[in-house]
Amino acid sequence: MSAPATALLFRIVAIAEAVTWLALLIAMFFKWVLGHEEAVAVPGMVHGIVFVVYLVVTVYTALRLRWNATSSKQMLTITAVALVASIPPFGTLVFEWWAQRNGHLTDAGRTTKAAAS
């Protein structure tokens, strides 16, 4: 998969993870406030699947794009932050915006560095 396609896949999955978080939060309102016990069944399952897909795509993206890291320790740190970003609601969106701004969603940063020269 090409670097731009990898970055696009990461963006799509990060957005999907945030959208399914929102759906789950809405479903939890229906369950806990309005008493509809079954409300979380489908959104919960969908969010769980997308969450796991996000984790897999994050690791793939980190390896494929090397997160524009100057060292393997830096790459592991960025990858860990991306994985932890999946826990709070909408954290994947925040990480995706940060990664895009800092050139981590380009092919090892070559495009960003070449444009700066």
Side-chain angles (χ1 to χ4, degrees):
M1 183 179 289
S2 70
T6 301
L8 179 62
L9 175 65
F10 179 79
R11 286 185 194 112
I12 289 169
V13 173
I15 292 167
E17 202 276 341
V19 168
T20 61
W21 242 126
L22 177 62
L24 183 57
L25 291 172
I26 292 168
M28 287 192 304
F29 170 82
F30 277 90
K31 178 181 179 177
W32 296 108
V33 175
L34 302 179
H36 299 285
E37 293 293 320
E38 70 285 351
V40 295
V42 173
M45 180 185 64
V46 172
H47 176 68
I49 292 168
V50 174
F51 174 79
V52 172
V53 169
Y54 175 82
L55 298 178
V56 171
V57 169
T58 297
V59 171
Y60 174 77
T61 303
L63 294 172
R64 175 68 180 88
L65 301 183
R66 296 182 36 81
W67 289 131
N68 191 22
T70 56
S71 69
S72 59
K73 182 178 178 183
Q74 185 182 16
M75 183 175 137
L76 288 174
T77 301
I78 295 168
T79 304
V81 170
L83 293 172
V84 170
S86 66
I87 297 170
F90 316 113
T92 57
L93 291 179
V94 174
F95 178 82
E96 192 277 329
W97 293 329
W98 176 84
Q100 179 64 33
R101 252 192 336 265
N102 290 290
H104 297 297
L105 293 179
T106 62
D107 190 11
R110 288 185 210 119
T111 306
T112 305
K113 290 177 184 174
S117 299

